Amino acid sequence: MVKTLTPLRFGTAQEGAFHRALQRRAYGYLHARGDHRFANRRAISKAVLILLAAIASYSLALRASQPLAFMAGYVAFAVLMMWLNIDVNHDASHHTFVRSRVLNAVISRAVTLSTGIEPVYWRVRHVSFHHRYANIERYDLDTEENGIFRQTPFQRWRGWMRWQHVYWPLVAALSLSWIGVVFDWADRLGRTPLRAERLLPGAAGWAAFIFSKLGHLTLMLGLPLLMGHDGGLVLGLYLLVQMCTSLMVVFLLLGTHWADAAFYQAPTGENLVMAHGWYYHNFMTACDWHTPQRWQEMLTGGLNYHLTHHLFPGWHHRHYPALARIIGELAAEHGLPYRCIRYGELRAAQRAFLRQMGRAHAA
């Protein structure tokens, strides 16, 4: 893992006209509705209902006298909490769920407890590295080389990677646990670029970090065991739901940065400036995809509007359908390659990408 990264800048491409038009249309949309960028009452009510359903499921699981009832409640709790992570924590990490940054941080820590992930490190990895440097080798920490799974044409090929289009679901299923166990501890011990951010300093920082780990184990393993449920069943179910909820997230993000996307190497030398502009970079490295039915968007937390999210990370996802329409119209006027594809097309593009990266000669 790289321990230090020199910040990059994007070129001074002629994107000013697009930027001004986009901001004018976006804020015009807000003003016409008398609205704001954050979650509204409907979004907050939805989150509260999901949380109450999760609490009820967990309570039923703990009090269940039959293994099947325990399994049903436990699985329902894990899935509902992951839905909260998708629908609430992603926005809270960008400080767009509520106006208060402190309250957003509290919400993130509470919601991520079921995942075992340290929310502060995840937020910085996501916001400061992935969003800023999507698909740039070594700078986008989401695509960091790991020796198991080749995600960019600049990474070393290994023989087993010719089968990565077959074994990728296993990698996806283990992603949550990998973040919680490997990435979080590497970040905590200063072995990654997050070291320069000086996150969670001192004893209070260690206390918050350990709380996220012990709290997770207590919630997902300790309390069920304390209530007398079979240890083998609890452990097996825990491992299963960790894998399934990880897949749940990956299938929403499926290929949004792989589907006919561009990959870049960072410039070298003293002047670390990309040859293109920020807007062009985002259009070239991400896409939107639309759900077969509009009502299904309530399940995605806006993750299907992934390019839109990259252009408007400071807006709650309830605005993304409208913003995507604005982006599509303005992109056509300004010659930018906006893409909103069907989910089937996204899956096909992902399979083609994984096969391509699995070939020894892929570059």
Side-chain angles (χ1 to χ4, degrees):
M1 293 183 179
V2 178
K3 294 185 181 180
T4 58
L5 289 173
T6 304
L8 301 179
R9 292 183 294 115
F10 287 90
T12 55
Q14 298 300 313
E15 297 185 334
F18 176 76
H19 171 75
R20 289 189 295 273
L22 185 61
Q23 294 299 307
R24 184 168 58 249
R25 287 282 300 277
Y27 281 96
Y29 150 80
L30 269 191
H31 294 324
R33 292 162 53 97
D35 208 343
H36 52 74
R37 295 183 292 109
F38 306 95
N40 58 7
R41 290 182 180 178
R42 181 177 179 180
I44 293 172
S45 297
K46 174 187 172 185
V48 170
L49 288 175
I50 297 171
L51 177 61
L52 291 176
I55 293 172
S57 298
Y58 188 72
S59 177
L60 289 172
L62 291 183
R63 293 183 294 150
S65 58
Q66 298 297 323
L68 285 178
F70 168 73
M71 292 169 63
Y74 190 95
V75 169
F77 169 72
V79 170
L80 288 166
M81 289 303 295
M82 183 50 66
W83 189 10
L84 272 183
N85 273 276
I86 293 167
D87 200 74
V88 174
N89 180 51
H90 189 206
D91 286 300
S93 295
H94 285 279
H95 303 302
T96 62
F97 188 69
V98 293
R99 295 177 186 271
S100 168
R101 286 179 171 254
V102 173
L103 185 53
N104 279 317
V106 170
I107 290 170
S108 285
R109 187 160 293 282
V111 171
T112 55
L113 202 59
S114 65
T115 69
I117 293 172
E118 169 51 53
V120 171
Y121 292 147
W122 185 87
R123 177 180 59 79
V124 174
R125 278 177 165 268
H126 180 70
V127 175
S128 300
F129 290 90
H130 171 65
H131 267 264
R132 188 175 298 171
Y133 306 122
N135 286 15
I136 299 178
E137 189 70 10
R138 296 188 304 111
Y139 279 77
D140 183 353
L141 300 186
D142 282 0
T143 60
E144 194 169 19
E145 186 167 4
N146 54 45
I148 300 170
F149 197 60
R150 189 168 182 242
Q151 298 187 73
T152 82
F154 310 117
Q155 295 174 358
R156 190 171 71 170
W157 180 85
R158 294 170 173 85
W160 53 83
M161 292 174 179
R162 63 170 55 92
W163 303 109
Q164 67 177 24
H165 65 283
V166 176
Y167 66 73
W168 81 266
L170 178 61
V171 174
L174 295 175
S175 294
L176 262 183
S177 298
W178 187 266
I179 293 171
V181 175
V182 178
F183 284 178
D184 277 358
W185 280 100
D187 292 338
R188 184 68 227 172
L189 297 175
R191 300 179 61 84
T192 73
L194 269 67
R195 179 179 183 177
E197 304 289 332
R198 301 185 182 278
L199 305 167
L200 298 175
W206 270 106
F209 180 77
I210 295 301
F211 170 81
S212 73
K213 302 305 175 187
L214 293 183
H216 169 71
L217 293 176
T218 300
L219 181 71
M220 303 305 291
L221 293 172
L223 289 179
L225 292 174
L226 188 63
M227 294 298 291
H229 294 289
D230 179 74
L233 175 62
V234 172
L235 180 60
L237 201 55
Y238 166 75
L239 296 174
L240 179 64
V241 299
Q242 286 294 105
M243 295 175 70
C244 289
T245 51
S246 184
L247 276 172
M248 180 179 170
V249 175
V250 171
F251 269 89
L252 289 177
L253 292 171
L254 197 70
T256 47
H257 289 287
W258 293 348
D260 300 317
F263 292 84
Y264 299 95
Q265 288 183 301
T268 57
E270 296 182 0
N271 191 21
L272 298 181
V273 180
M274 299 295 290
H276 53 260
W278 182 81
Y279 280 108
Y280 178 82
H281 183 86
N282 280 284
F283 277 101
M284 293 299 294
T285 57
C287 68
D288 288 344
W289 59 271
H290 56 80
T291 57
Q293 300 293 331
R294 180 64 186 271
W295 67 266
Q296 293 170 340
E297 289 179 3
M298 68 176 291
L299 303 175
T300 69
L303 295 184
N304 59 307
Y305 291 106
H306 207 68
L307 169 60
T308 299
H309 168 60
H310 270 256
L311 297 187
F312 288 93
W315 293 51
H316 186 268
H317 73 263
R318 68 187 176 90
H319 295 298
Y320 290 171
L323 291 174
R325 288 192 292 273
I326 294 171
I327 292 168
E329 293 170 5
L330 292 177
E333 294 176 13
H334 292 263
L336 288 166
Y338 174 69
R339 292 175 298 138
C340 184
I341 61 180
R342 296 191 305 272
Y343 187 65
E345 293 178 282
L346 190 72
R347 293 184 61 185
Q350 174 182 270
R351 287 194 297 270
F353 174 80
L354 292 176
R355 287 179 181 273
Q356 180 188 6
M357 290 299 101
R359 299 188 189 110
H361 62 278

